[in-house]
Amino acid sequence: MKFTVLTLFPEMFSAFTSTSIMARAAGQGHIEVECVNFRDYSDSPSKRVDDAPFGGGAGLVMKPQPLFDCLRDQSLAAGERIVYLTPKGKTLTQQMVVDFSKLDRMVLVCGHYEGIDQRVIDTFVTDEVSIGDYVLTGGEIPAMVLMDAISRMIEGVLNTEDSHMEESHYDGLLEYPHYTRPAVYEGMAIPDILLSGHHKNIELWRFEESVKLTGERRPDMLRAYYDRLTDKKKRKIVEKYLK
């Protein structure tokens, strides 16, 4: 997977792509990250990329010219996914992450100020994505969130095949609690079931803990999970925690 990031602040991605899982994924060739500063494409002598909005109003809007020229310079293939990170976009979900992870390349457009000229969106953007119902200074942090989530889904990036499959949101439930050594710490003992060695019972306990936690914190997720669940035994467990 190749991520082409169009940003005014490519330096923000240096630490992100050179540490932890992202660094390993890049080092092993599973992902490639290219940052392009679209300020370099401005035809303004001062390299200005913003201007006041037509119709008045506060703030500045990213001009179309630098982004048009930058995007046209990316050798875009037919059907290429161009994602604009914006609070107005569709809220990011794990299913969207899974779908994106199947692509060979995606272009991420990081806006600033009041956003980008609508003509850029109308001409190039295929997906508008939001990471939540709040506003950030620019699209760089949302782009990192999206890249991190997608990279975890790419085969070979995580240490074991099952790692991402057991994480929160992957199968529609929040993840069960985790414990490690020592078994007793400051008088607090881990659940006995985890020391039983009975893997089937442990799996069932983990499932019910996930269901319980999801019911407490995200009842909407639990209802959606229940509606598509076909396993009768699991449906009976879920029914205890539906609100």
Side-chain angles (χ1 to χ4, degrees):
M1 158 74 81
K2 179 176 181 178
F3 298 102
T4 298
V5 185
L6 310 189
T7 171
L8 295 176
F9 304 98
E11 63 274 13
M12 289 182 65
F13 292 85
S14 298
F16 172 67
T17 57
S18 60
T19 56
S20 190
I21 289 175
M22 294 297 291
R24 186 171 71 236
Q28 295 174 348
H30 298 301
I31 66 168
E32 178 184 352
V33 180
E34 175 191 26
C35 291
V36 180
N37 191 337
F38 59 87
R39 187 183 299 278
D40 296 338
Y41 289 82
S42 174
D43 60 8
S44 164
S46 61
K47 293 297 181 183
R48 184 172 179 176
V49 295
D50 54 45
D51 210 331
F54 279 115
L60 297 167
V61 177
M62 308 298 296
K63 298 169 66 176
Q65 179 272 315
L67 280 165
F68 262 71
D69 288 356
C70 182
L71 283 161
R72 284 172 172 157
D73 197 35
Q74 301 312 307
S75 301
L76 299 173
E80 192 108 54
R81 300 292 281 274
I82 301 170
V83 178
Y84 173 44
L85 289 310
T86 170
K88 297 188 293 184
K90 185 176 180 181
T91 303
L92 183 65
T93 65
Q94 187 64 29
Q95 186 56 56
M96 290 167 64
V97 169
V98 172
D99 293 341
F100 282 142
S101 71
K102 299 173 183 177
L103 302 174
D104 293 325
R105 181 174 89 142
M106 64 190 311
V107 178
L108 306 179
V109 180
C110 302
H112 267 266
Y113 315 118
E114 294 303 306
I116 66 177
D117 189 291
Q118 183 65 35
R119 289 166 291 188
V120 178
I121 299 171
D122 294 342
T123 305
F124 294 100
V125 171
T126 61
D127 304 87
E128 295 182 72
V129 174
S130 167
I131 63 168
D133 295 333
Y134 45 87
V135 180
L136 298 174
T137 301
E140 283 75 18
I141 292 175
M144 292 179 201
V145 169
L146 183 57
M147 291 163 63
D148 185 284
I150 291 172
S151 296
R152 299 176 67 83
M153 300 303 303
I154 296 173
E155 185 178 356
V157 170
L158 297 184
N159 289 328
T160 63
E161 184 178 346
D162 295 332
S163 292
H164 67 266
M165 298 185 68
E166 294 186 0
E167 293 179 336
S168 291
H169 296 281
Y170 182 77
D171 65 353
L173 297 173
L174 299 181
E175 197 173 12
Y176 52 80
H178 292 277
Y179 300 89
T180 188
R181 296 178 178 83
V184 180
Y185 184 73
E186 293 192 357
M188 295 177 286
I190 69 170
D192 291 338
I193 185 69
L194 298 178
L195 298 173
S196 68
H198 196 299
H199 297 298
K200 189 172 182 179
N201 287 348
I202 291 173
E203 182 181 350
L204 191 61
W205 176 85
R206 286 175 168 170
F207 174 74
E208 185 157 1
E209 288 295 307
S210 288
V211 169
K212 179 181 177 182
L213 189 63
T214 307
E216 291 172 352
R217 300 183 182 181
R218 291 293 304 275
D220 58 317
M221 282 180 58
L222 187 60
R223 170 55 66 179
Y225 177 80
Y226 178 76
D227 289 344
R228 63 176 183 271
L229 190 61
T230 57
D231 186 296
K232 292 183 179 179
K233 189 174 183 179
K234 287 186 175 181
R235 284 179 67 89
K236 191 173 181 179
I237 293 173
V238 173
E239 286 168 359
K240 294 192 297 181
Y241 299 97
L242 287 174
K243 294 182 181 179

